[in-house]
Amino acid sequence: MAQTPKFSDRPRILVVGGGYVGLYVAHKLQKKVKAHGGIVTLVDPLPYMTYQPFLPEVAGGNIEARHAVVSHRMHLTDTELITGKVTRVNHGSRTAVVEPSDGSEPFELTYRDVVISAGAITRTFPIEGLADEGIGLKTIEEAVALRNQLLERIETGSLMEPGPERDRALTFVVVGGGFAGIEALAEMEDLARAAVKKNHRLGRSDIRFVLVEALDRIMPEVTEDQAKWVVEHLRSRGVQVKLNTSLASAKDGKLKLINMPDKTPADEFETDTLVWTAGVQANPFVRNTDFPIDERGRVRANPELRITGDDGPLDGAWTAGDVSAVPDLSGGGVGGFCVPNAQHAVRQAKLLADNIYAERYGVGRVREYKHKNLGAVAGFGQYKGVANIMGFGLRGLPAWLAHRGYHGMAMPMFERKFRVVTNWILGFVFGRDTTQLMDLQTPRRAFHEAATPPPKKQETPSLDKDRTEDTEKAKPKAKAKA
């Protein structure tokens, strides 16, 4: 273990993960804890928090990528920030091992209180070829890459002759019929529709979109009637919706689909774009801690958001968000626990900050988390959406407005809200941005080509030179004849 870099020796509240929960907890506590002589330390591999409900709109070109993230440095000015990841926690000794993102040696940090808010990662299955061919939609980088992939494939496909190669380039597949998958597919379809309008070599009928869902319905967060309407809506836009269907193989981009539950062959085709949105799982890092976890790999918690074992809550240990199993006292949660969504995360984060402050400094009282799910909203591209708000169903434009209104308010920090709303206004005036950014994976290509000397030309005799040489050779002979 390397020597610990010079960090504050004040009593520390260590926040593991800078997502929704970590950002809000640090933001609410940083000044208060500082006033009491302590410090809040946040550790995350990224220097920003990603507002994940906006990832489909980033992929669809409605929101600038940087505006869907919140900078830690900009807003956590009184927080000790470490860009890296916590790889182990030993709460018995109140220590955590931090691995810096720059590749330097890991080091130990001591703490007085810890907040486990490491969130969730994409859940995958051992499907042949999936790791090589698929892309998720859990990070801002994935959303940007997906947007550019779609635009590049459309542009490239427009230059191809009709046939299997062009069909593969212009086929886009989304696996997973939850909110993330449906919103991603709908935004991609809207973007593709806008892109082909500007390309006279293609029409919308040349583009193929396929949704693959293993269950017999999509979007369990809305009513069954609304879910059926969404399927009909997508099909009216030319999307092939395959329910009771699962992905069996994706090797080399050749997809093999099977019917569920009998697993008989369903369909085979090729694609260059496979988007995987079939669920999430708690960050597996928690298995490297001495905290109690449940059968789904989540940190066990009580309604006060304290990490809790068989013998009761652990002193100085807290958790919230997607990585935690928080009881849903409203009675509406799946399996009795709060579902992993932004609605719960933001409310839990605010209560968690208050509870830590009350417990540690005696200001206020520790309270239980209880929030009845207000419903769900989803956007399907410009002016289209579905919503279920407190049992009241909305479709089309009203649902789209509810979607933008809710997420516009839920986006952390006023300056980020302002940037996002500005994006929406610009999109309303000028339309969806279909500009493809090139060479994001190889940004040095242009410089490398400019800095590389051109190959030396090989001297090849010209026709005129050959004729001259022949003439010169003939002159002596002519003189001799004379």
Side-chain angles (χ1 to χ4, degrees), residues 83 90 96 100 108 133 146 181 183 188 195 235 248 342 417 431 435 443:
T83 304
N90 186 333
E108 277 191 354
E133 303 296 332
L146 183 57
E183 287 189 304
M188 289 168 59
R235 285 174 174 162
K417 298 178 194 288
T435 306

Side-chain angles (χ1 to χ4, degrees), residues 390-466:
M390 300 182 69
F392 186 71
L394 298 174
R395 300 173 182 173
L397 179 62
W400 178 78
L401 291 172
H403 169 266
R404 288 212 159 172
Y406 173 77
H407 287 298
M409 292 187 296
M411 179 70 186
M413 311 304 165
F414 175 78
E415 60 95 11
R416 291 288 125 171
K417 298 178 194 288
F418 184 82
R419 293 177 191 270
V420 167
V421 172
T422 300
N423 286 173
W424 287 339
I425 294 172
L426 292 174
F428 177 77
V429 175
F430 298 109
R432 188 185 296 264
D433 189 346
T434 59
T435 306
Q436 176 197 351
L437 297 179
M438 303 289 288
D439 289 336
L440 290 181
Q441 301 299 322
T442 55
R444 292 185 62 252
R445 183 188 63 80
F447 178 79
H448 179 74
E449 290 179 359
T452 302
K456 293 182 179 180
K457 293 183 178 180
Q458 293 183 354
E459 294 187 2
T460 56
S462 66
L463 184 59
D464 291 339
K465 184 178 180 182
D466 291 343

